[in-house]
Amino acid sequence: MTTPAPVPPPQTGLPPLLDIRELSAYLGVPVSTVYDWRARGLGPRAYRFGKHLKFAVDDVTAWIEAQRDPTPSSPRQPSDRR
């Protein structure tokens, strides 16, 4: 008799969530900086569950991309003056 294969966990379709400590560790900034960004409206979007903040990985990724410096312009080529 064979044993049934393990059933994989159901897919919820929800993005993974980070708590504020995980987010601060991922970004390499203090937790207080993340709170400061939120107070100033600068940080990534969050979900609030009671007193707990959770950040969707998708929202964090989009916020990180928005922080990227613009592409530097190509260096100027010397003009051919004769």
Side-chain angles (χ1 to χ4, degrees):
M1 197 182 251
T2 62
T3 58
V7 177
Q11 296 296 323
T12 62
L14 296 174
L17 300 175
L18 304 173
D19 67 26
I20 199 153
R21 278 183 261 136
E22 292 169 324
L23 177 63
S24 72
Y26 178 71
L27 296 175
V29 299
V31 170
S32 61
T33 298
V34 178
Y35 280 120
D36 182 58
W37 288 340
R38 285 194 43 81
R40 296 171 40 206
L42 301 175
R45 296 175 57 190
Y47 295 97
R48 180 175 294 282
F49 299 101
K51 64 180 182 174
H52 303 282
L53 291 173
K54 299 290 183 174
F55 299 85
V57 171
D58 295 344
D59 290 338
V60 172
T61 302
W63 179 81
I64 289 171
E65 280 298 316
Q67 306 314 303
R68 184 176 287 195
D69 284 341
T71 305
S73 59
S74 59
R76 291 185 179 180
Q77 299 296 323
S79 59
D80 292 338
R81 295 188 184 192
R82 294 183 195 207

